Amino acid sequence: MDRLVHHELRAVVSVLAAAAVALTAVGLARGFSPPSEPGRLGLYAAAVVASIGVWTLLKATRIKWFSDVRDFEKAVRLDGTDPAPAAERFLRDRPFSPRMFVLYTLFAVPLALWEPWTAVICLWSALDWLGQAAVAAHWERRHGLLLWRGHVDGRPWELSVSRRPPTRTATGARPA
């Protein structure tokens, strides 16, 4: 099982790494020169950030075709299992998804060599996943639950929820 927030953050790291590889490939092939129209690049970046912001706000609502919150509320409740230790190992064990990195790199590098500005298309995906991680983390904190993916092996997209483990004290011991 994989915690949903960690899955989304792992995707962000992998896609940003693929974007860095694509930008490096473009720099090596065409030279590391500034864009010819920096104002246009800034306008594009502002449009991407604004559209992702609106999209993330729509996902945080309960509107039928946009909402992630509705999916979170339909998640299957896990009773009797303790997936919390898996959540604690995220940053040390698996902060990166090699499959996603390879997939995005195979997509981004040839596209960026053809047209250099397309290397930043990966940033669109990274910002979307970052927004989804923020929505999921906010929902988890608000409801005192943790969202998990992969409870059913054949359907990793199905979500499940479990109780949030009690917080630890300053010494690391669980409260009594």
Side-chain angles (χ1 to χ4, degrees):
M1 283 187 3
D2 193 15
R3 194 163 157 214
L4 180 64
V5 173
H6 294 174
H7 171 75
E8 301 300 329
L9 292 176
R10 191 177 302 117
V12 169
V13 170
S14 302
V15 170
L16 288 178
V21 168
L23 289 171
T24 303
V26 168
L28 292 173
R30 296 186 180 214
F32 293 97
S33 60
S36 58
E37 297 178 31
R40 188 172 181 192
L41 184 63
L43 184 62
Y44 173 73
V48 166
V49 170
S51 64
I52 291 295
V54 169
W55 183 248
T56 300
L57 290 174
L58 283 172
K59 285 196 230 178
T61 65
R62 286 188 170 78
I63 298 174
K64 187 174 185 176
W65 293 291
F66 300 107
S67 176
D68 280 343
V69 174
R70 295 174 116 200
D71 295 335
F72 300 161
E73 291 170 348
K74 291 178 190 175
V76 177
R77 189 165 199 86
L78 296 176
D79 292 326
T81 58
D82 186 23
E88 296 172 1
R89 294 189 316 258
F90 165 68
L91 290 176
R92 290 188 306 255
D93 291 351
R94 293 181 30 204
F96 185 76
S97 173
R99 279 189 212 152
M100 187 168 294
F101 170 74
V102 168
L103 201 102
Y104 265 83
T105 302
L106 290 176
F107 164 75
V109 170
L111 197 59
L113 290 174
W114 174 63
E115 189 63 46
W117 68 269
T118 59
V120 297
I121 288 178
C122 293
L123 300 179
W124 184 288
S125 295
L127 287 173
D128 183 43
W129 277 316
L130 190 62
Q132 188 167 355
V135 170
H138 177 71
W139 187 89
E140 285 181 346
R141 172 133 339 241
R142 191 169 176 209
H143 290 88
L145 299 170
L146 296 176
L147 287 162
W148 300 91
R149 293 179 70 247
H151 177 63
V152 179
D153 290 332
R155 297 184 301 254
W157 60 87
E158 286 190 12
L159 297 176
S160 53
V161 293
S162 68
R163 288 194 182 281
R164 182 179 290 277
T167 56
R168 295 183 180 267
T169 61
T171 61
R174 291 188 182 245

